Amino acid sequence: MTGFLLNHDAKRQNPEAAAALLPFRSRIVVGCLTNVRGSSEAMRQELDDFLALSGFGHVDLWYFVTPTPPLRDTFVEAFVEARRAGKARFAAMTTHGLPNHVEALVAPGSPIDAVMLVHNFTTSPEVSAQVDRLHAAGLAVTPMKPMAGNFTTEKTGEADAQHAAALRWLIADARVGCVPTVMTSLAQVEANAAAARVPFSKEDDAVLGAWKPRVSERFCRDCGACAGSCPRGIAVPGLVRAAMYAEGYRDLDRARREMSAVPADRRGPACRDCRACAVRCPNGVDVRSRALRAIALA
């Protein structure tokens, strides 16, 4: 079974791509992400716009992107109406702040069926325990950032081995329902399919162990722990994310968009003036080097 997770903004969809998928609709799982911050009516309208533009009669998974608890409840209201109308089968959400939602998600009768959260070979024992709870409660778990920021080494052979090992690590995790990866060429599809056919091995574990220190000092999990912690007012989360998109994903356009979202007076040259960074990331990210990398994009 193949799945496609499509953008939450219907106006940015590619109608030609959707049309190409229509003949295979009965054989694929379609998910849609929505990011509307408003009423349940506005959320349902965006789903309607997506369905009209794509030509799909319904979506299998309707994801709401990083809701606050009150917005999660509004989305559930929208989903109940959409399911009643035959437009969505299962309710899902993405989150960078699982602790804020986990109790509601695992509660008996929770209307959320699936959760997408940051989960990969760098996952901490604390987050892994929360994944255990979701799985035990019967929720489908989808990993976000499966390649941990994509901070592969420069050598092609090593990078290929790192990608394959990270993919197999997740496939071997019985709690994971599927592994979403961006594939922009047939060669990437074939490489991922080949990697998925091989079981996770001791060699893979060694590859990830050697790679993990490089990733840990660079990979932003978007947990928000560093927000407001700089004594000079630098918007640390935005800068660290921008550096991740520039250096890890090699997506300079996305990195610059992240930077442009940060107020100019909070990007600073202030980082250059500090001899030692006061911000400590609980996940081990080297905040000062990441901030300086992002400032260099401006």
Side-chain angles (χ1 to χ4, degrees):
M1 183 69 73
T2 301
F4 292 88
L5 187 61
L6 303 174
N7 196 283
H8 57 268
D9 184 351
K11 296 180 179 62
R12 291 171 57 195
Q13 291 301 329
N14 183 332
E16 291 79 13
L21 293 173
L22 278 175
F24 309 99
R25 180 64 184 94
S26 63
R27 296 164 52 192
I28 61 176
V29 174
V30 173
C32 175
L33 293 133
T34 190
N35 198 24
V36 170
R37 264 49 186 165
S39 65
S40 62
E41 291 79 8
M43 295 175 187
R44 292 200 306 273
Q45 184 60 57
E46 185 174 72
L47 178 62
D48 288 344
D49 291 344
F50 168 78
L51 293 175
L53 186 62
S54 67
F56 297 129
H58 70 279
V59 295
D60 298 294
L61 284 161
W62 187 16
Y63 278 94
F64 192 80
V65 178
T66 58
T68 61
L71 275 174
R72 182 192 64 224
D73 295 340
T74 303
F75 169 69
V76 167
E77 179 184 334
F79 169 76
V80 169
E81 291 298 322
R83 181 170 57 186
R84 185 177 293 128
K87 297 175 181 178
R89 295 180 61 204
F90 299 103
M93 58 174 275
T94 75
T95 181
H96 292 281
L98 184 58
N100 298 325
H101 300 278
V102 68
E103 296 301 331
L105 291 171
V106 302
S110 168
I112 301 296
D113 302 296
V115 182
M116 180 184 288
L117 70 155
V118 177
H119 180 48
N120 52 55
F121 68 94
T122 71
T123 293
S124 68
E126 293 77 16
V127 172
S128 186
Q130 293 170 351
V131 174
D132 282 339
R133 295 188 67 193
L134 296 177
H135 181 66
L139 280 81
V141 174
T142 302
M144 189 192 307
K145 302 289 190 296
M147 296 298 148
N150 203 40
F151 290 102
T152 53
T153 52
E154 297 301 322
K155 295 180 180 178
T156 302
E158 287 184 4
D160 291 344
Q162 289 161 349
H163 271 291
L167 179 63
R168 287 194 284 264
W169 187 92
L170 285 166
I171 292 172
D173 187 339
R175 303 168 300 178
V176 170
C178 66
V179 184
T181 59
V182 175
M183 292 177 281
T184 59
S185 69
L186 181 58
Q188 287 181 325
V189 174
E190 292 172 342
N192 282 349
R197 286 192 289 266
V198 178
F200 186 74
S201 65
K202 291 181 179 179
E203 290 76 14
D204 289 329
D205 195 44
V207 167
L208 296 181
W211 187 24
K212 191 172 181 178
R214 172 183 172 84
V215 172
S216 294
E217 67 181 18
R218 293 171 172 83
F219 173 46
C220 175
R221 293 153 179 82
D222 207 10
C223 67
C226 61
S229 59
C230 174
R232 304 190 68 172
I234 297 300
V236 176
L239 269 63
V240 173
R241 278 197 306 273
M244 178 179 67
Y245 284 110
E247 190 175 280
Y249 294 110
R250 285 84 163 173
D251 187 344
L252 290 177
D253 288 340
R254 174 66 185 272
R256 291 190 173 106
R257 287 200 302 273
E258 292 286 338
M259 283 295 288
S260 67
V262 177
D265 62 346
R266 301 193 64 200
R267 299 177 206 167
C271 282
R272 297 192 184 101
D273 300 333
C274 280
R275 292 181 179 275
C277 185
V279 182
R280 295 290 177 267
C281 171
N283 296 302
V285 172
D286 183 345
V287 173
R288 187 170 188 273
S289 73
R290 301 293 84 209
L292 291 174
R293 176 70 177 89
I295 291 168
L297 296 170

